[in-house]
Amino acid sequence: MKGFRFTQYIPTQDPEKNTFENLLNIFLQLVTMTGGDVAEALSWLTNLDKRYNMTNPNYGIGDFIEDLKTKGYLTEENQKGEFKITGKAEQTIRKSALEEIFGKLKRGKSGQHKTTHSGMGEERGTDRRAYEFGDNLDQIALTDSLRNAQANHGFSGDYLLTEDDLEVVENEFRSQTSTVLMIDISHSMILYGEDRITPAKKVAMALAELIKTRYPKDTLDIIVFGNDAWQIEIKDLPYLQVGPYHTNTVAGLELAMDLLRRRKNPNKQIFMITDGKPTCLKVGIKYYKNAFGIDSKILAETLKLAAQCRKLKIPVTTFMIASDPYLKEFVKEFTKVNNGNAYYSSLKGLGDLIFEDYRRNRTKRF
């Protein structure tokens, strides 16, 4: 009698390989936390090794550093001779963030987002309609069209198929979405013993990697805002650090709107990650600052931009990683004026909320 006999499979272990992979994961986390400072990250890693014995007599931190250089994660080819992470390491950090935050996602078809609208698209739907001039031949529903011809002209004489008999399969319209992610880098993002900037960076890297791999026709622009606002590249995210800044939300929104004006598709949105109220405004070449409570002058300018975004059909989704009651009042008023969304999130749940809102917004037209 034929059959199968199952036994427990124990894969062969490569201690050095496992040690490298474990250390690599920790090292990339540390690089993110240190803002890309490789020397500091390696120093932390060495101290962790002393405390938790992560290496062994056959494979130490020195071996790990050499492997990082050999495998293309580190380079010393710069003017100062310092260790720098490479593009490969930056991509690995983004992929690691994606797996950590959106680990349950399955990769789907690239490039578009389903909507309830029909139109010119790449995926065949189930709806049928009459042929119109300009429709592609591969859209014609052959069986349905032949059946119409038989019903309209009968079987006698020559077989007749006219344009009026043709039916086409309606393609599903898939939209493109342009997103601007605003990250608060004011000093409060590291105050009170809580590191808020590292989770924000991880979410940004995960979102960037998700869009690049799953929705490559979408656009993602990332800006940071403190006293001023400026755009950064995706590759710069691991190096992002908090500065001695106030929170100029107005500057961030103005730059976000300017970037979205250049995008030609109709679906546009702004995600804003912050832990505080706006406390800064640039008037001419000077800065108007007030960190004590909610300043009415700063608030008025911020709400004015929220209304402009609403007029331009650009919803702003605010992810507030703080829970002070007066901050909630500000976010509530800002969201009402913009007709957007707001979430009061812990750092742990930030990634899930951003993904859910991103996915939901991509299934509708703004």
Side-chain angles (χ1 to χ4, degrees), residues 198-216:
T198 299
K201 286 195 292 184
K202 286 186 178 181
V203 167
M205 289 187 288
L207 185 61
E209 192 66 16
L210 175 72
I211 291 175
K212 287 169 65 70
T213 56
R214 189 169 179 179
Y215 307 112

Side-chain angles (χ1 to χ4, degrees), residues 117-131:
H117 302 276
S118 297
M120 296 298 291
E122 298 178 4
E123 183 167 323
R124 293 173 69 86
T126 57
D127 295 336
R128 301 289 193 272
R129 63 170 173 80
Y131 173 84

Side-chain angles (χ1 to χ4, degrees), residues 321-339:
I321 47 180
S323 56
D324 305 64
Y326 75 99
L327 293 180
K328 288 186 176 181
E329 286 300 317
F330 156 69
V331 173
K332 182 178 179 181
E333 188 172 2
F334 179 87
T335 303
K336 182 179 180 181
V337 171
N338 174 255
N339 197 30

Side-chain angles (χ1 to χ4, degrees), residues 179-220:
T179 303
V180 172
L181 178 62
M182 295 173 51
I183 303 176
D184 184 352
I185 59 167
S186 62
H187 187 57
S188 61
M189 292 288 278
I190 55 170
L191 283 180
Y192 316 116
E194 186 175 33
D195 178 9
R196 297 170 175 173
I197 190 63
T198 299
K201 286 195 292 184
K202 286 186 178 181
V203 167
M205 289 187 288
L207 185 61
E209 192 66 16
L210 175 72
I211 291 175
K212 287 169 65 70
T213 56
R214 189 169 179 179
Y215 307 112
K217 292 186 180 180
D218 277 12
T219 64
L220 175 66

Side-chain angles (χ1 to χ4, degrees), residues 337-353:
V337 171
N338 174 255
N339 197 30
N341 298 304
Y343 298 96
Y344 306 94
S345 170
S346 65
L347 294 174
K348 185 177 181 180
L350 182 62
D352 292 336
L353 285 176

Side-chain angles (χ1 to χ4, degrees), residues 99-114:
E99 293 173 359
E100 177 183 340
I101 295 172
F102 302 143
K104 296 180 181 180
L105 296 180
K106 294 182 179 179
R107 181 174 175 141
K109 294 185 178 180
S110 62
Q112 301 107 20
H113 317 298
K114 291 183 178 179

Side-chain angles (χ1 to χ4, degrees), residues 109-157:
K109 294 185 178 180
S110 62
Q112 301 107 20
H113 317 298
K114 291 183 178 179
T115 71
T116 57
H117 302 276
S118 297
M120 296 298 291
E122 298 178 4
E123 183 167 323
R124 293 173 69 86
T126 57
D127 295 336
R128 301 289 193 272
R129 63 170 173 80
Y131 173 84
E132 296 176 358
F133 179 77
D135 287 332
N136 294 327
L137 294 179
D138 59 1
Q139 288 182 254
I140 294 176
L142 184 59
T143 302
D144 297 313
S145 300
L146 292 175
R147 184 176 62 248
N148 292 338
Q150 294 173 355
N152 294 334
H153 309 294
F155 294 96
S156 58

